[in-house]
């Protein structure tokens, strides 16, 4: 257990009870401390069994919470890696009351290389809980948030526990903005490039030989979405990846394949739609149509849940800002066009109204004997019909 006390107005002192656990907290060559310093803008030094944290009070307090909670995880046997320090900072920055043990110690699956797969953010924890408790779950968010990987980890874990009899992995065969042309080989070889990401995630959890045997026996099936039509999937764990590239009809077809004792997880990123222009994404439509149905759960991820390279989060944020700026410009342009059209319509209406009002006045003036126009008009009329010809 760690004891925290404030030494000065700008320095906190945290005492830890076990030197070995403290060394694990520091990391190799103090890598964990350096990561914490860079993330929060504080200065941390180790002295005996204690840490001294200097900096602004909010950041200092956050650094202290991260350090003490990571120390508690190490005491529970959790191996802390540099990436875990970054995840811990993100979690506790968003929710100061969060308990890292509830998240990091929730073991989803132990992979073939003995690596423990656990959630790394609040949204990932909520996502895993939703998959466990609901039969249909949508995971929507940017790339790198673990939507497909975690769904597959839960699926393999359910398969190993014999809670389901097979796992079906599928995705639409849509090219990502480029035309691949005619691919060589038979049908399996043609569709394999589209399904490669699913195979990669599978082999990361189950050793290659065992995975191949499961695929040969049909216990694990990897297939394009088009192959799902007409099937009923009983006692299965079904994952639809890249669902943003489904059409309305494809999404409805997939959701109606679910049979007894089955679960379905649908993942996608609605900012990366590769459908032809004018085709509405089935995922975006399903989010609107199915949002109020009991038994269906939606989990939304943001760039703060990205668990890839640190720069991936920055890249996603930059693109989102650019997209928001473009949407603002488009809205301003549409508003300007509407105002111009409205002003043009009003001027046309005013001209038309003015023309209607002036017409009767002109007719009266032409028939008025006192008006010069009336006299001239009658005279010219007489001369033309010959009645007053001199």
């Amino acid at each position: 257990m760690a004891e925290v006390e404030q030494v000065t107005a700008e320095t906190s002192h945290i005492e830890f009870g076990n030197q070995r656990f403290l060394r694990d907290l520091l990391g190799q060559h103090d890598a964990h401390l350096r990561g914490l310093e860079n993330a929060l803008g504080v200065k941390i030094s180790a002295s005996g069994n204690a840490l001294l944290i200097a900096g602004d009070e909010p950041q200092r307090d956050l650094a202290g919470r991260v350090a003490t909670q990571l120390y508690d995880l190490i005491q529970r046997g959790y191996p802390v890696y540099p990436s875990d320090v970054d995840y811990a900072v993100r979690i506790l920055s968003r929710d100061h009351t969060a308990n890292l043990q509830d998240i990091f110690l929730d073991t989803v699956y132990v992979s073939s290389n003995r690596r423990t797969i656990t959630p790394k953010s609040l949204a990932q924890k909520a996502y895993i809980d939703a998959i466990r408790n609901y039969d249909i779950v949508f995971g929507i968010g940017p790339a790198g948030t673990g939507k497909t990987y975690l769904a597959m980890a839960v699926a393999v874990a359910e398969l190993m526990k014999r809670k389901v009899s097979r796992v079906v992995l599928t995705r639409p065969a849509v090219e990502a903005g480029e035309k691949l042309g005619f691919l060589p080989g038979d049908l399996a070889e043609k569709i394999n490039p589209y399904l490669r990401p699913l195979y990669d995630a599978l082999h990361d959890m189950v050793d290659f030989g065992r995975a191949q045997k499961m695929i040969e026996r049909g216990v694990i099936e990897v297939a394009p979405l088009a192959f799902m039509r007409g099937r009923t999937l009983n006692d299965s764990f079904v994952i639809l990846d890249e669902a943003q590239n489904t059409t309305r009809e494809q999404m409805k077809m997939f959701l109606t394949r679910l049979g007894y004792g089955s679960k379905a997880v649908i993942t996608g990123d609605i900012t990366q739609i590769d459908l032809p222009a004018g085709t509405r994404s089935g995922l975006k439509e399903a989010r609107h149509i199915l949002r109020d149905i009991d038994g269906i759960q939606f989990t939304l991820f943001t760039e703060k849940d990205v668990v890839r390279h640190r720069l991936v989060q920055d890249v996603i944020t930059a693109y989102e800002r650019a997209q928001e700026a473009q949407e603002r410009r488009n809205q301003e342009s549409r508003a300007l066009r509407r105002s111009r059209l409205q002003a043009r319509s009003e001027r046309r209406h005013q001209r038309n109204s003015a023309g209607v009002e002036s017409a009767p006045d002109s007719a009266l003036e032409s028939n008025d004997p006192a008006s010069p126009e009336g006299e001239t008009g009658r005279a010219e009329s007489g001369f033309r019909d010959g009645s007053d010809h001199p």
Side-chain angles (χ1 to χ4, degrees):
M1 188 66 184
E3 296 181 2
V4 183
E5 62 175 295
Q6 185 169 315
V7 177
T8 67
E10 298 180 352
T11 306
S12 296
H13 176 274
I14 307 177
E15 190 79 29
F16 297 93
N18 187 293
Q19 183 70 35
R20 181 171 64 85
F21 292 154
L22 178 58
R23 283 198 302 270
D24 292 339
L25 175 63
L26 301 180
Q28 189 174 13
H29 305 301
D30 294 346
H32 297 166
L33 291 192
R34 301 293 82 83
L36 198 52
E37 287 179 333
N38 294 334
L40 297 177
V42 296
K43 291 294 182 182
I44 306 175
S45 58
S47 177
N49 281 6
L51 292 180
L52 292 175
I53 305 175
D56 295 336
E57 185 175 359
Q59 301 302 91
R60 194 173 70 236
D61 291 344
L62 180 55
R65 279 196 297 274
V66 171
T68 53
Q69 291 210 36
L70 288 177
Y71 180 84
D72 293 340
L73 284 170
I74 293 171
Q75 283 186 311
R76 298 284 299 272
Y78 182 87
V80 172
Y81 297 96
S83 57
D84 291 319
V85 177
D86 184 40
Y87 302 147
V89 170
R90 294 189 207 176
I91 293 170
L92 292 175
S93 296
R94 298 174 69 180
D95 184 358
H96 291 180
T97 64
N99 188 343
L100 295 183
Q101 293 188 31
D102 294 339
I103 301 171
F104 287 4
L105 295 183
D106 184 2
T107 300
V108 179
Y109 184 69
V110 178
S111 64
S112 58
N113 56 8
R114 310 306 302 170
R115 188 167 63 85
T116 302
I117 300 173
T118 67
K120 302 297 183 182
S121 71
L122 293 170
Q124 285 193 355
K125 171 63 175 172
Y127 181 53
I128 290 171
D129 289 342
I131 294 174
R132 288 168 175 163
N133 297 320
Y134 292 86
D135 288 336
I136 296 180
V137 175
F138 287 80
I140 303 174
T145 50
K147 304 181 298 294
T148 304
Y149 193 83
L150 287 175
M152 193 167 296
V154 177
V156 174
E158 296 283 284
L159 182 63
M160 296 305 177
K161 296 174 184 175
R162 301 185 183 279
K163 292 185 177 181
V164 294
S165 61
R166 62 176 166 173
V167 172
V168 180
L169 313 173
T170 185
R171 62 172 3 198
V174 176
E175 296 156 344
E178 55 187 330
K179 299 300 181 183
L180 300 179
F182 293 102
L183 297 173
D186 58 19
L187 180 61
E189 292 172 325
K190 289 178 186 293
I191 64 176
N192 188 62
Y194 299 103
L195 306 175
R196 190 73 255 169
L198 297 177
Y199 282 110
D200 291 341
L202 175 62
H203 293 148
D204 195 31
M205 299 172 197
V206 182
D207 64 81
F208 186 82
R210 189 178 187 185
Q212 288 303 112
K213 290 180 180 178
M214 288 180 168
I215 292 173
E216 291 171 2
R217 300 200 325 263
V219 175
I220 294 180
E221 179 183 348
V222 183
L225 180 59
F227 287 13
M228 296 296 108
R229 186 174 296 278
R231 301 179 62 182
T232 300
L233 302 172
N234 292 317
D235 196 25
S236 302
F237 196 116
V238 194
I239 299 173
L240 171 58
D241 189 30
E242 296 291 323
Q244 76 275 7
N245 290 326
T246 61
T247 63
R248 173 195 178 108
E249 294 76 17
Q250 287 176 321
M251 177 62 74
K252 181 181 177 182
M253 180 272 292
F254 172 80
L255 292 173
T256 54
R257 298 309 94 198
L258 206 62
Y260 291 105
S262 294
K263 282 180 176 288
V265 178
I266 301 95
T267 69
D269 177 3
I270 57 177
T271 67
Q272 295 189 22
I273 298 174
D274 300 311
L275 293 170
T279 303
R280 184 170 175 79
S281 168
L283 178 61
K284 293 181 72 174
E285 193 168 65
R287 181 181 174 185
H288 173 71
I289 294 174
L290 307 177
R291 59 188 176 185
D292 296 325
I293 296 181
D294 292 336
I296 298 179
Q297 183 72 7
F298 287 83
T299 302
L300 305 182
F301 296 85
T302 69
E303 75 282 354
K304 296 185 182 298
D305 300 304
V306 171
V307 291
R308 291 179 181 169
H309 192 287
R310 179 187 57 81
L311 289 176
V312 174
Q313 180 178 345
D314 298 334
V315 168
I316 293 172
T317 302
Y319 271 100
E320 287 183 347
R321 288 175 179 169
Q323 183 176 354
E324 290 173 358
Q326 183 63 44
E327 289 176 354
R328 284 197 299 270
R329 288 193 293 269
N330 292 342
Q331 289 176 356
E332 291 171 358
S333 178
R334 287 193 294 268
L336 180 61
R337 284 199 300 270
R338 283 196 298 269
S339 63
R340 287 176 176 174
L341 288 173
Q342 184 176 359
R344 191 179 305 167
S345 176
E346 290 175 353
R347 288 196 298 270
R348 186 181 300 114
H349 180 70
Q350 290 173 356
R351 286 197 300 269
N352 292 338
S353 299
V356 171
E357 292 174 359
S358 61
D361 295 340
S362 300
L364 288 173
E365 289 176 356
S366 64
N367 294 323
D368 186 0
S371 68
E373 290 82 355
E375 300 252 355
T376 305
R378 284 196 306 274
E380 291 179 351
S381 174
F383 281 118
R384 279 195 299 271
D385 60 15
S387 58
D388 293 327
H389 191 71

